Amino acid sequence: VSGAGEPPRPAGGGGSRVGVRGEPAVDSLAQLPAPGNLKVHLYNAQQALSWEPVSLDSDPRPVVYQVQYKYSTSSNWYDVNKEDSKVDCTNLTRTECDFTANSLSEGFPRRFNISLRVRAKLGGLISAWATAPWFEHYRNATIGPPENIRVTPEEGSLIIRLSAPFDVPASEAYFVYYVYYWEKTGDKQVTDPFESNFITLNDLKPLRVYCFQVQAKLILTKENISRPGHLSNISCSKTAADASVKLQQDILAAATTFLVLSVVVGSCLFLVLKYRGLVKHWFHSPPSIPSQIEEYLKDPAQPILDALDKDSSPKEDTWDSVSVVTFPENEQEGTPQSSWNQNADPSHQPTEGVL
């Protein structure tokens, strides 16, 4: 038996009480079979009782069920009702009574032994009570894996954040966590227990993929009892690079960039040399007057451009006078020019024309 006595009950919440034997006189006349295969479900903070349904072939009316509880330190049974347990399981049509606590102050105390029983009712017929085994939540509950697992890669490490499987009072119990981790191709290792929800896996190789699982273990504060929980799903993450690896990466990136630029510049230079004639043609610009000379020419004190413009203006055509000398066909060759000029007929005098 765990606990010093019966836990306090809500004020005014007496519930239905039954004697030590727990059987009303009408149970001796029961014609309904008792519910069978009672199971108490305890997973993390969940508390529930289930059973197999009861029916009568001769009566189609629905069967209802009544659930009661008691502590190992008490001889009295109490109804599981809203006044005492925040849930009503006195006239159930379903075959389960879920009395899971919504907070640490509700539900059955987790460090006390508790027993549950259920019976069926159909009109005026009432079955015998069927009783479930005793249980203590902390001793019998199944502990699930941690929740909300998040991982952050760091330099040669992994930082794991998580939440407890369920809330427990610090005065009664607490959780510790174990991390099973391994490199993709390595052996599995396990850490020492962590009491914090903030776990750091150190001394890992940089830029390596590590997989891990986390297990929560419930430790009872006042008793030498621990309850290991289920392992979480496998999660994998790649560690970040440390300072030396980052330096190597920076050097490699710089060398790669320099090599690429060298290849590009060399290729451009090769193409320019090979096709320099074509490049000259593309980039050839018409000749222009140097700016110093142009400023000199535009100086008002030196009207050279105006003079050039005037000289280059079109002028009237000029004619030159020429003399054309013709020889008569009947003149003999070899006659001196002076003699035939003197004796020639005036009609054969040289004519002056204009070309």
Side-chain angles (χ1 to χ4, degrees):
V1 177
S2 177
E6 182 178 349
R9 305 180 69 252
S16 300
R17 296 193 179 190
V18 185
V20 175
R21 298 181 182 275
E23 307 294 336
V26 71
D27 285 354
S28 61
L29 303 176
Q31 300 178 27
L32 279 178
N37 195 24
L38 273 64
K39 293 181 179 179
V40 178
H41 302 274
L42 302 172
Y43 181 82
N44 288 340
Q46 180 185 7
Q47 298 175 344
L49 174 68
S50 66
W51 56 88
E52 292 181 351
V54 174
S55 63
L56 282 180
D57 295 337
S58 59
D59 196 333
R61 291 179 296 174
V63 176
V64 294
Y65 304 93
Q66 179 185 5
V67 179
Q68 292 184 338
Y69 72 94
K70 80 168 186 174
Y71 299 102
S72 61
T73 55
S74 173
S75 59
N76 298 320
W77 289 90
Y78 303 96
D79 284 333
V80 178
N81 54 31
K82 288 187 176 180
E83 190 175 5
D84 289 352
S85 308
K86 308 300 181 184
V87 293
D88 188 1
C89 294
T90 55
N91 289 286
L92 292 174
T93 56
R94 63 182 184 277
T95 58
E96 182 186 56
C97 177
D98 189 346
F99 33 82
T100 300
N102 293 321
S103 67
L104 294 176
S105 62
E106 299 177 1
F108 294 124
R110 296 171 183 171
R111 57 189 179 86
F112 281 82
N113 284 344
I114 298 170
S115 182
L116 297 170
R117 69 179 185 176
V118 61
R119 68 179 178 181
K121 295 186 291 184
L122 179 60
L125 302 177
I126 301 176
S127 74
W129 289 101
T131 305
W134 292 93
F135 71 90
E136 180 188 337
H137 191 97
Y138 283 141
R139 293 175 182 266
N140 302 110
T142 299
I143 310 300
E147 299 181 348
N148 303 319
I149 297 177
R150 304 174 301 278
V151 59
T152 303
E154 294 289 344
E155 294 184 2
S157 63
L158 295 176
I159 297 177
I160 302 172
R161 298 175 177 86
L162 50 83
S163 301
F166 60 98
D167 294 332
V168 294
S171 60
E172 296 178 0
Y174 63 94
F175 284 102
V176 295
Y177 305 97
Y178 294 86
V179 180
Y180 297 82
Y181 67 98
W182 62 96
E183 197 177 345
K184 270 287 189 178
T185 57
D187 298 329
K188 183 178 293 188
Q189 304 179 59
V190 60
T191 64
D192 293 330
F194 291 90
E195 294 188 17
S196 172
N197 293 6
F198 187 89
I199 300 172
T200 302
L201 297 180
N202 290 314
D203 301 327
L204 304 181
K205 298 176 182 178
L207 298 178
R208 299 292 181 89
V209 176
Y210 284 86
C211 298
F212 64 90
Q213 292 177 285
V214 186
Q215 180 189 40
K217 180 180 285 189
L218 179 66
I219 307 295
L220 301 184
T221 304
K222 298 180 180 180
E223 303 176 50
N224 188 22
I225 297 176
S226 63
R227 297 293 315 286
H230 291 175
L231 288 170
S232 66
N233 294 330
I234 296 176
S235 300
C236 297
S237 183
K238 187 177 183 179
T239 57
D242 57 18
S244 61
V245 174
K246 286 183 178 179
L247 179 60
Q248 294 176 2
Q249 290 178 334
D250 293 341
I251 294 175
L252 180 60
T256 303
T257 304
F258 177 77
L259 181 60
V260 171
L261 292 176
S262 299
V263 172
V264 172
V265 172
S267 300
C268 294
L269 183 60
F270 172 77
L271 294 175
V272 169
L273 294 177
K274 184 175 181 179
Y275 301 101
R276 58 181 178 274
L278 185 59
V279 172
K280 287 181 179 180
H281 174 73
W282 286 345
F283 293 97
H284 176 73
S285 59
S288 60
I289 300 174
S291 59
Q292 298 86 348
I293 299 177
E294 185 176 2
E295 292 178 1
Y296 172 76
L297 295 177
K298 289 182 177 180
D299 188 356
Q302 304 290 338
I304 300 177
L305 291 179
D306 295 338
L308 293 176
D309 290 338
K310 291 179 180 180
D311 293 341
S312 61
S313 59
K315 297 181 179 180
E316 296 181 357
D317 294 338
T318 56
W319 301 92
D320 293 331
S321 297
V322 295
S323 296
V324 177
V325 178
T326 61
F327 294 92
E329 294 179 359
N330 57 356
E331 288 291 337
Q332 295 181 356
E333 294 182 0
T335 303
Q337 182 177 355
S338 58
S339 61
W340 64 260
N341 278 341
Q342 296 175 359
N343 300 323
D345 191 89
S347 61
H348 297 285
Q349 290 294 324
T351 63
E352 186 176 9
V354 177
L355 296 179

